[in-house]
Amino acid sequence: MRLPVAYRNKRLDCGYRLDVLVQGQAVVEVKAIEQILPIHECQLHTYLRLSGVPLGLLINFNVPHLRQGILRRVLTGRPVPVP
């Protein structure tokens, strides 16, 4: 799903692409990597801030048991409104 970005009062279409947005309530970022790095968590946090969605899941499918690859994050604070 495309996530527009506002910069200096200009709207940039397709600045970011969300993997999955679940009923406007949760952002799901899907990975198949050796391990989740801080940059992946920052990516999810950026998507949460820009979309205004409070809940995010980072799911890594490259793990022996799927429950080991799920990282849940909740946005606290005020989201950045998209004009």
Side-chain angles (χ1 to χ4, degrees), residues 33-63:
I33 52 180
E34 194 166 319
Q35 69 178 20
I36 294 175
L37 299 174
I39 189 73
H40 301 121
E41 292 185 54
C42 290
Q43 178 185 14
L44 178 63
H45 187 258
T46 299
Y47 290 166
L48 294 177
R49 279 189 313 110
L50 292 176
S51 68
V53 175
L55 178 64
L57 295 174
L58 181 57
I59 302 175
N60 182 14
F61 284 97
N62 191 19
V63 290

Side-chain angles (χ1 to χ4, degrees), residues 10-51:
K10 293 183 181 181
R11 185 178 168 135
L12 307 173
D13 289 327
C14 194
Y16 292 104
R17 291 182 184 264
L18 303 177
D19 285 344
V20 179
L21 180 62
V22 181
Q23 294 186 349
Q25 300 297 313
V27 173
V28 180
E29 185 65 24
V30 179
K31 303 286 185 193
I33 52 180
E34 194 166 319
Q35 69 178 20
I36 294 175
L37 299 174
I39 189 73
H40 301 121
E41 292 185 54
C42 290
Q43 178 185 14
L44 178 63
H45 187 258
T46 299
Y47 290 166
L48 294 177
R49 279 189 313 110
L50 292 176
S51 68

